[in-house]
Amino acid sequence: MADNVQRIKLLVGRSKKLIPLALGLVSVVIALVAFMNFPNASKDYGNILFDEYQRFKPREYVEGVPVRVIDIDEDSVEVLGQFPWPRTDFADMTMKLGQVGAAAVVYDVVFAEPDRTSPGNIAPLLLKSGLPFESYDLVAGLPDHDEILGQKFAETQTNVVTGYFLSKFLKEGDEAVIPPSYSSFVFAGLSPIDQVDSYVSSSRTLPVIDAGAQGSGFVSVSSIDGGVIRKAPLLGRIGDDIFPSLSLEALRVAMQAQTVQIKSSSGSGELGSGGGATLVSMIRIANPDLGADFRIPTNGQGEFLVHYTEEVPERRVPAWKVIKAGTGTPGALSFAEMQELFAGHIILVGPSAPGLQDLRSTPMNPFEAGVVIHAQMLEQMISGQFLVNPYWQQTVVGSIILVGGILLTVMLSFLGAIRGGLIMVLSLAGLFYFSWWQYSENQILFDPTFAAASLIFISGVTILSSFYLTESEKAEIRGAFDHYLSPDMVDKITDDPSLLQLGGVEKDITILFADVRSFSKISEKLTPQELITFLNNFLTPMTEILMESQSTIDKYIGDAIMSFWNAPLDDPDHAANACRGSIQMIATLREMNKQFSDDPETAPLPVETAIGIGLNSGPCSVGNMGSTQRFAYSVLGDAVNLSSRLEGLTKQYKVHIIIGSSTAEAAPDFAHMEMDQLRVVGREAPERIFVLVGDEQVKQTDNFKKLEQLQLEYLKAYRGQQWDDAEAIANEARFYAEAYHIAGYYDVMQARIDNYRENPPGDDWDGVYAATSK
């Protein structure tokens, strides 16, 4: 039993550190390889984290940024009627915006179909109605609304940008529609078109309308993650031709720039996210004449990270208030208000009414108007409030996995799970704080999720392996000591195996021997099965008492019990605990005998039973003892032999518990008194023996104090061969001894005095009695 525990203690003591350390280092390699091959595996979780960042600290809206939205909202639909409205309404609005000095009017509305309210489309309907209409030819000959809108785009004092959709699919039999191109792209480095999102066709604004515009851009927002728009493409391509997004084209037109510069990895010298030439840092729009120079960071595919604000009411103006401006309609804008709101601004026109199906989900708003997203992108481009994916992301994350993983593994292996776990939690907190700090202070999106998951994985492997080894060790120890020690003591050992001292060591031990009196006579009256039941019913409560007093059960020897204190766990009060346990054993046995007396049929013991207990303390060798085939954790020493002899003497002296002088000295607060001085069989040196009658409370009683005083006087008279005085004192002491069931001791001593009267021991007698049996 103990040899197994000792071996496990030595081996697991090393393996508890080395095996988790080795497994932790292996997990570091696994995590690092996984990151190198799947760096975007935790991208979705990173996006969720960045969404929370934006909600907690959105971009601050900068007053004075010249971007405004004319909102085709529900109120406008209610005032102006079902959408789409006549193109003449947009023509009038464009002219008004030009008159008040708008820098550009940008339509997030694709005029792909002819206006159904144009005179040419209305006249046939009137003719088919059957009503007389003499002026049909006049109506049919009126200017077409689409032509009017195109003309007004050309005539207005502002710049106009139209929109179109890009499509990744083309129906069989359809021809690809190439949108108009007003921008000229130049490259700083090699052309990066292979990295730009590819399309095959478009749904463009009618050419008759586009003819009057100064620019056109795609309104498609295809870069979504889980349905949430966190980034939007600034560039798209059909074949080898590159096209700008609506927001990028709006900025170019407003700044009256002719070209858009795209920096690629070969131009900047930085490495992109793919092979060959890739976009890494920016798109540039500049007009030296106006002092304009906008540098817009993108990812490798030309996508722009959108940093959203909270809802800003002053950003939007309902469309009906602009269309009805100057008409005297209540609530509509005046010319002065128009000028204050729109002069020098880039004006985006687009719908937010739910029925117009241009609502998108963003981190800040699950139902955001697409035109507002374009407006927020423009605000960022103009104000320079950019979110950036750092080029050093992979290097830092890889370093965290490697260095942080190794450090965590070492600390978890050698500092233990609790302290190591605390360090892991602090490390994760530091990692996420670093990510938050980069966002809040530098607008850098450092994604800590893969690094955090890796550290958790590495820590989990290390902690779980250490926990498994620790629990295995505890299970071995518990299995070895569960039947020998109390549950509390077993828990202490399993919690701290270092408390074990299982080798051959010398310690001061208190040993108990307990034996059933007249067991042979009892066994003659019982069948084998009844005898086994008797022993089980007797030994079980006795064992429980011993374990509760922190004793280690050494062995059962038939009807006898051997146990000891102060090993394998240290017990400074081992003598006192042994005395307390012995007293409780006698008290419990008396209660069991009373149950037999009251009702023999239901009593746990089938006969009235008596036991004798011997206790002794002294230095012993404690450890594994036996052969290589079978061994046990036990004690050896002279103190053990004397304890056994003392148990045998209880029957001769007619008492229940006899303790040696060393135990009596180590437990001075208990009610014990010297009985005799004798030379036991097999031992040359005489031993003072004591009878134990009670605990600390008994020692303080008047009855015991009187008995203790009489006993001292008795021994003095006895050892002085004053037989008559000794006999007289004994007769008085019997009265007090009855309370402790030890009056029989004086009968034994009286028989010895009678013998000494006939056979005097001699003048040189030292008071030592030589025992003749064990």
Side-chain angles (χ1 to χ4, degrees):
M1 171 269 295
D3 191 56
N4 287 339
V5 178
Q6 176 73 349
R7 184 173 63 254
I8 292 168
K9 180 183 175 184
L10 294 175
L11 295 178
V12 176
R14 299 188 185 96
S15 62
K16 278 174 66 177
K17 294 180 175 64
L18 297 181
I19 293 179
L21 178 62
L23 291 175
L25 294 177
V26 169
S27 66
V28 171
V29 175
I30 293 174
L32 197 57
V33 171
F35 177 67
M36 292 171 65
N37 288 277
F38 308 102
N40 295 319
S42 64
K43 175 184 174 183
D44 291 343
Y45 298 102
N47 286 337
I48 293 172
L49 179 67
F50 295 147
D51 290 351
E52 292 300 322
Y53 286 176
Q54 290 213 47
R55 294 186 190 104
F56 190 79
K57 188 177 180 180
R59 176 173 62 87
E60 292 185 8
Y61 178 73
V62 179
E63 295 285 348
V65 173
V67 177
R68 197 82 67 188
V69 172
I70 294 180
D71 189 4
I72 303 173
D73 58 2
E74 290 184 281
D75 289 344
S76 297
V77 172
E78 184 176 345
V79 172
L80 300 176
Q82 182 180 359
F83 193 83
W85 302 322
R87 302 279 160 82
T88 51
D89 287 346
F90 291 105
D92 292 342
M93 181 174 66
T94 303
M95 295 300 292
K96 291 176 183 178
L97 291 171
Q99 292 169 6
V100 298
V105 179
V106 183
Y107 280 94
D108 186 20
V109 178
V110 179
F111 302 110
E113 302 291 336
D115 185 356
R116 56 186 174 84
T117 66
S118 287
N121 295 326
I122 294 294
L125 295 177
L126 295 175
L127 185 62
K128 290 180 180 179
S129 68
L131 296 174
F133 192 75
E134 298 177 355
S135 302
Y136 167 75
D137 291 336
L138 180 62
V139 171
L142 291 174
D144 181 80
H145 288 181
D146 295 323
E147 293 178 359
I148 292 174
L149 182 59
Q151 291 172 1
K152 297 301 181 183
F153 280 177
E155 296 171 2
T156 184
Q157 301 174 37
T158 186
N159 300 298
V160 177
V161 178
T162 59
Y164 53 86
F165 294 106
L166 290 178
S167 175
K168 288 182 175 290
F169 305 100
L170 187 64
K171 291 182 180 180
E172 187 176 353
D174 289 350
E175 292 186 3
V177 177
I178 305 301
S181 178
Y182 298 86
S183 303
S184 174
F185 291 95
V186 295
F187 307 106
L190 297 176
S191 172
I193 62 172
D194 289 342
Q195 301 299 319
V196 176
D197 208 5
S198 176
Y199 301 86
V200 297
S201 186
S202 70
S203 296
R204 57 167 294 181
T205 290
L206 295 173
V208 67
I209 298 175
D210 261 337
Q214 288 74 47
S216 186
F218 62 85
V219 299
S220 310
V221 183
S222 58
S223 296
I224 59 175
D225 299 296
V228 179
I229 297 178
R230 302 180 177 93
K231 58 187 178 181
L234 295 184
L235 303 172
R237 70 182 177 92
I238 299 178
D240 292 336
D241 296 323
I242 295 180
F243 299 91
S245 71
L246 186 69
S247 54
L248 186 66
E249 182 73 344
L251 182 63
R252 182 195 68 79
V253 170
M255 295 300 106
Q256 302 175 25
Q258 299 301 313
T259 61
V260 176
Q261 184 185 68
I262 302 172
K263 289 192 79 173
S264 65
S265 59
S266 60
S268 68
E270 296 175 342
L271 295 178
S273 59
T278 57
L279 301 176
V280 291
S281 61
M282 71 173 187
I283 296 173
R284 183 183 180 192
I285 294 177
N287 186 341
D289 294 338
L290 297 180
D293 189 355
F294 296 97
R295 299 166 187 261
I296 306 160
T298 70
N299 66 8
Q301 290 71 46
E303 294 170 323
F304 181 82
L305 298 176
V306 188
H307 195 184
Y308 294 96
T309 66
E310 293 180 310
E311 178 61 31
V312 180
E314 56 265 34
R315 178 187 285 135
R316 307 191 199 195
V317 179
W320 75 268
K321 291 186 176 184
V322 180
I323 293 175
K324 292 289 186 179
T327 63
T329 303
L333 297 176
S334 66
F335 181 83
E337 290 173 326
M338 289 269 292
Q339 197 168 30
E340 181 180 354
L341 285 171
F342 303 127
H345 283 61
I346 300 174
I347 313 301
L348 292 103
V349 182
S352 71
L356 302 184
Q357 299 181 345
D358 192 28
L359 299 181
R360 303 287 186 266
S361 178
T362 72
M364 296 296 295
N365 186 351
F367 304 104
E368 184 64 273
V371 66
V372 174
I373 296 174
H374 289 295
Q376 297 219 38
M377 292 169 65
L378 270 170
E379 290 171 0
Q380 288 182 251
M381 295 176 194
I382 295 171
S383 64
Q385 296 172 295
F386 300 116
L387 288 178
V388 178
N389 281 321
Y391 68 88
W392 42 261
Q393 167 90 22
Q394 291 195 9
T395 302
V396 171
V397 171
S399 299
I400 290 173
I401 294 172
L402 180 61
V403 178
I406 292 175
L407 290 176
L408 263 182
T409 298
V410 172
M411 287 186 288
L412 287 169
S413 299
F414 290 92
L415 296 181
I418 294 178
R419 285 180 292 179
L422 178 61
I423 292 173
M424 181 196 72
V425 171
L426 292 176
S427 300
L428 292 177
L431 181 61
F432 279 93
Y433 176 78
F434 175 75
S435 172
W436 164 253
W437 178 78
Q438 287 290 350
Y439 165 79
S440 61
E441 297 298 324
N442 304 316
Q443 289 73 57
I444 291 176
L445 297 181
F446 172 73
D447 184 357
T449 54
F450 201 109
S454 298
L455 294 182
I456 292 172
F457 167 69
I458 293 165
S459 301
V461 169
T462 308
I463 291 174
L464 288 177
S465 59
S466 179
F467 177 78
Y468 174 78
L469 291 172
T470 300
E471 288 303 308
S472 299
E473 180 188 22
K474 287 182 177 181
E476 291 288 345
I477 293 174
R478 190 174 295 278
F481 285 99
D482 207 27
H483 297 293
Y484 303 91
L485 298 174
S486 68
D488 289 342
M489 294 182 71
V490 173
D491 289 341
K492 288 181 181 179
I493 294 174
T494 54
D495 290 340
D496 186 4
S498 64
L499 296 174
L500 285 173
Q501 296 183 9
L502 297 176
V505 297
E506 185 173 293
K507 297 185 69 176
D508 192 35
I509 301 292
T510 296
I511 308 98
L512 172 143
F513 280 88
D515 190 26
V516 176
R517 301 267 179 84
S518 304
F519 180 69
S520 297
K521 292 181 179 180
I522 293 174
S523 60
E524 290 174 0
K525 299 177 183 179
L526 303 176
T527 66
Q529 184 60 45
E530 290 173 336
L531 184 62
I532 292 174
T533 302
F534 163 75
L535 286 175
N536 290 340
N537 289 345
F538 164 73
L539 293 174
T540 297
M542 299 298 110
T543 300
E544 290 175 352
I545 292 169
L546 290 171
M547 286 185 171
E548 288 174 0
S549 65
Q550 302 184 40
S551 179
T552 300
I553 305 300
D554 187 302
K555 61 178 68 72
Y556 300 110
I557 313 167
D559 60 307
I561 304 173
M562 176 183 172
S563 71
F564 52 87
W565 284 259
N566 203 31
L569 296 182
D570 290 337
D571 181 6
D573 299 323
H574 56 92
N577 287 331
C579 291
R580 191 171 291 108
S582 300
I583 294 168
Q584 184 60 42
M585 289 172 68
I586 298 300
T588 299
L589 186 59
R590 286 199 185 106
E591 180 62 28
M592 296 172 73
N593 285 332
K594 184 178 184 300
Q595 294 176 21
F596 173 76
S597 177
D598 294 342
D599 188 359
E601 295 298 327
T602 61
L605 299 181
V607 295
E608 189 168 341
T609 306
I611 63 171
I613 298 175
L615 286 179
N616 190 46
S617 303
C620 298
S621 293
V622 57
N624 301 321
M625 300 178 189
S627 66
T628 55
Q629 291 83 12
R630 186 171 181 177
F631 42 81
Y633 186 68
S634 187
V635 292
L636 284 178
D638 184 59
V640 179
N641 298 331
L642 180 56
S643 178
S644 177
R645 299 293 183 267
L646 297 180
E647 182 277 318
L649 291 173
T650 58
K651 186 174 182 180
Q652 297 180 32
Y653 282 90
K654 296 185 179 181
V655 297
H656 297 295
I657 307 172
I658 294 179
I659 65 177
S661 59
S662 57
T663 304
E665 292 172 2
D669 297 331
F670 281 76
H672 51 66
M673 57 186 189
E674 186 178 351
M675 296 171 56
D676 202 358
Q677 189 173 14
L678 77 164
R679 188 174 290 108
V680 299
V681 176
R683 183 183 173 97
E684 291 297 325
E687 174 71 19
R688 295 167 61 208
I689 62 174
F690 295 72
V691 61
L692 178 63
V693 300
D695 57 15
E696 298 92 337
Q697 287 73 31
V698 174
K699 184 178 177 65
Q700 302 304 318
T701 63
D702 293 338
N703 190 83
F704 177 75
K705 290 178 180 180
K706 180 62 176 178
L707 177 61
E708 185 179 32
Q709 181 60 39
L710 289 171
Q711 180 65 12
L712 291 174
E713 295 173 2
Y714 174 76
L715 289 178
K716 182 177 180 181
Y718 167 75
R719 290 168 180 166
Q721 301 186 39
Q722 300 172 6
W723 313 123
D724 291 341
D725 291 345
E727 185 175 352
I729 296 171
N731 288 335
E732 184 181 359
R734 279 189 182 89
F735 172 78
Y736 298 100
E738 288 288 350
Y740 310 114
H741 307 280
I742 60 171
Y745 158 74
Y746 291 104
D747 295 335
V748 173
M749 297 302 288
Q750 183 60 46
R752 189 185 299 176
I753 289 174
D754 292 341
N755 179 61
Y756 282 152
R757 280 196 175 109
E758 295 180 5
N759 303 289
D763 293 338
D764 59 348
W765 181 57
D766 58 3
V768 176
Y769 175 75
T772 57
S773 65
K774 296 183 179 181

